[in-house]
Each structure stands twice: as C-alpha cells, then as structure tokens.
Amino acid sequence: MSFYSLFGYRSFKTENEIKNIVIDFINENHKKLSVSNIDISSRNLEVINTYALKIFQTPTQVTWVVARNGYFFCLLDDIELNKNVQIIRWYKKIVDIKDQITFEDSYRKPEKVGIINFGDMHKGWLYSKNVIGNDEMAKKYINNLVVSGSSAN
C-alpha cells in the first residue's frame, strides 16, 4: 500500500494501462479519427504496437505521451482526481505536429525540468530530466516516439 493510498488516492496507471486507455479511445472514436478499428482480440499485440513514454512525474501526477495509428496523445494521470476523469488531455495527428515540436529550458528549475511545446496549441508541457534524461535524450525519445507512432497501425 502506498503512502497516498492511505489518504484515499489511487495509484498511478502503469504503462500498459496507459496504452490500453489510448487503444480503447481509438476504438471508440475510430470513425472520427478516420482510422481502422483496433482488433482487441489480440490486445497483447496491440499493446506492444502502441508506443508510450513517461515524460514528467511529481508525487501526484504523471504525464505520458503515446503514439498510435498516426496520432499523438498526451495523458495526465493525476492521483488526486476522480478515477472517472478523462486523462487524455489532447491528441493530434502526428503529421500536424511532428515538425513543430520544440524544447526549451524551464525558468524554474532548468537542471531538473524542461519544457516541450507540441505546436502552437499545446505549449508548456513539462518534462522531468530525472525521468526522461537530459535535453538531448528528451529530443531523441520524443522524435523516436513520433516516428514509431507514424508507422504503427
């Protein structure tokens, strides 16, 4: 039992739970997204073919970015929020943001935190350097995620 669960908070979602949230969202919205429905009879394979990266973590929040079916998703897992709150904060087609991802130093604690801008609409997302690595590693991981999600079906 974690410290936070003693006060009624839930645990953070695992990487596979995050991937499953995105898979379920795609299946529920596949017509709107103009993508094929994902075959959930092979759920384990679909989870493997979904790419997720934890980019930020505090004691009460974790931010994930996930790439799948040509889309890029940003999820905020906040253990203080009700478990029924939608944790997918936004999603965009990868082709619409892949050339607009920029990195900058945080003005607060640049040795611990950096900032990622995902185009003009989704600016100021923090990343933890102890979670994702230094600035160069962050760029590499995000770029690899974008490339992987562009080709995943």
Side-chain angles (χ1 to χ4, degrees):
M1 181 174 281
S2 76
F3 171 77
Y4 288 101
S5 64
L6 293 172
F7 296 100
Y9 299 124
R10 62 175 177 77
S11 305
F12 286 125
K13 300 203 178 300
T14 65
E15 181 177 348
N16 281 349
E17 288 174 320
I18 291 294
K19 290 178 176 184
N20 278 302
I21 288 168
V22 170
I23 290 168
D24 291 342
F25 180 85
I26 290 171
N27 275 345
E28 292 166 10
N29 297 282
H30 70 277
K31 290 181 182 175
K32 175 182 169 186
L33 300 173
S34 300
V35 298
S36 299
N37 202 7
I38 297 172
D39 180 9
I40 58 171
S41 66
S42 57
R43 172 77 70 172
N44 290 338
L45 179 60
E46 298 306 331
V47 168
I48 291 169
N49 288 329
T50 303
Y51 304 93
L53 178 64
K54 183 190 306 185
I55 62 170
F56 183 72
Q57 184 165 359
T58 69
T60 60
Q61 290 184 338
V62 174
T63 303
W64 292 85
V65 288
V66 178
R68 177 65 201 234
N69 287 68
Y71 279 85
F72 195 85
F73 298 83
C74 183
L75 296 86
L76 180 64
D77 187 8
D78 186 327
I79 63 172
E80 294 178 334
L81 293 178
N82 181 307
K83 68 179 181 176
N84 297 321
V85 171
Q86 176 62 269
I87 71 170
I88 296 177
R89 295 301 182 199
W90 58 265
Y91 62 93
K92 294 287 277 186
K93 285 186 175 182
I94 289 175
V95 296
D96 293 342
I97 64 165
K98 70 179 181 176
D99 296 325
Q100 299 178 21
I101 300 173
T102 60
F103 296 81
E104 41 184 273
D105 290 331
S106 170
Y107 60 90
R108 289 189 224 171
K109 297 181 180 179
E111 71 283 354
K112 294 185 178 185
V113 178
I115 296 173
I116 307 174
N117 299 310
F118 299 98
D120 291 333
M121 299 294 292
H122 305 290
K123 292 185 171 212
W125 286 87
L126 299 176
Y127 68 92
S128 304
K129 293 182 181 182
N130 66 332
V131 171
I132 197 171
N134 63 32
D135 297 332
E136 289 307 311
M137 291 302 292
K139 290 176 187 175
K140 179 180 174 184
Y141 288 141
I142 294 292
N143 288 332
N144 286 345
L145 186 72
V146 166
V147 169
S148 300
S150 296
S151 61
N153 291 327

